[in-house]
Amino acid sequence: MRRALILAAALAPFLAQPAAAMSKSFHALLEVYRCEVVHRLEQIYVAGDPASTRDRYIAVSVPGRAQAYVQCMFHDRESKLYCEAASGFYLAKKGAPRTFHQPPQTIAALARLGFSTDDSASNFKVDFDVADPPEFNAMADFILRALHDGYGARGNMNLRFNAPFAPRAPSTCVPVS
């Protein structure tokens, strides 16, 4: 419950904003991609064995940038959502010196959303409790906010999705207008 509140608190400044007060670029990103993300989250949530995390994830990436993605998966019988944001850690081969680090503005943007800033052994990460019923719109907005603020995602880009259990289907998405 505490981490669900953390997710709500992290998103509150963005979700409470009227559309006019929201940055134009983030609003445009939500208009284009919120429902795309919500559709997939809903499908992942209901698909497969709830005791397993195998293929129960969504990864959304910015085109043309290998280290600009956010990936999330449900775990602990759908009671938690674990998310990672690309740090550059996995770009180097195991045992090789690291060749890429995210710029300070990316790290700061992700930290404001609650991601860890320690990339010494993995990606940036955050783990939330999932509300009952799940707040898929808030989850989608969180993923898109991380992509927007951390990696420069915009509504005119062709974001890439990898979500094996998430075929397109109707959802409870609340479109942004």
Side-chain angles (χ1 to χ4, degrees):
M1 182 64 167
R2 184 176 71 79
R3 291 189 191 236
L5 293 174
I6 292 170
L7 175 61
L11 291 174
F14 311 117
L15 299 177
Q17 293 179 358
M22 195 180 302
S23 79
K24 288 181 181 182
S25 59
F26 182 59
H27 186 263
L29 185 67
L30 288 178
E31 283 183 316
V32 175
Y33 285 109
R34 176 193 270 169
C35 288
E36 293 281 334
V37 177
V38 168
H39 293 313
R40 288 170 172 88
L41 288 168
E42 288 176 333
Q43 292 299 305
I44 293 164
Y45 185 79
V46 299
D49 177 1
S52 170
T53 57
R54 181 171 165 77
D55 291 335
R56 301 193 69 217
Y57 66 89
I58 181 173
V60 186
S61 58
V62 176
R65 296 186 53 204
Q67 292 301 304
Y69 63 85
V70 174
Q71 57 190 13
C72 299
M73 73 176 170
F74 293 101
H75 66 101
D76 287 352
R77 299 192 177 280
E78 291 91 19
S79 68
K80 294 188 174 289
L81 182 70
Y82 172 79
C83 296
E84 289 185 346
S87 68
F89 178 82
Y90 294 106
L91 194 59
K93 293 187 189 293
K94 190 172 182 168
R98 203 145 153 204
T99 59
F100 179 84
H101 293 272
Q102 293 289 357
Q105 64 269 24
T106 294
I107 296 168
L110 296 171
R112 284 190 297 275
L113 291 171
F115 282 92
S116 69
T117 57
D118 179 5
D119 64 350
S120 62
S122 66
N123 282 326
F124 306 115
K125 53 193 167 216
V126 65
D127 203 15
F128 298 109
D129 289 336
V130 173
D132 186 16
E135 298 172 2
F136 296 111
N137 286 304
M139 292 176 205
D141 289 2
F142 176 80
I143 291 168
L144 292 169
R145 176 56 77 176
L147 289 164
H148 177 273
D149 293 1
Y151 305 110
R154 298 297 184 261
N156 63 348
M157 294 178 169
N158 290 319
L159 298 183
R160 292 179 300 188
F161 292 88
N162 184 5
F165 280 176
R168 297 185 128 244
S171 77
T172 60
C173 178
V174 177
V176 175
S177 59

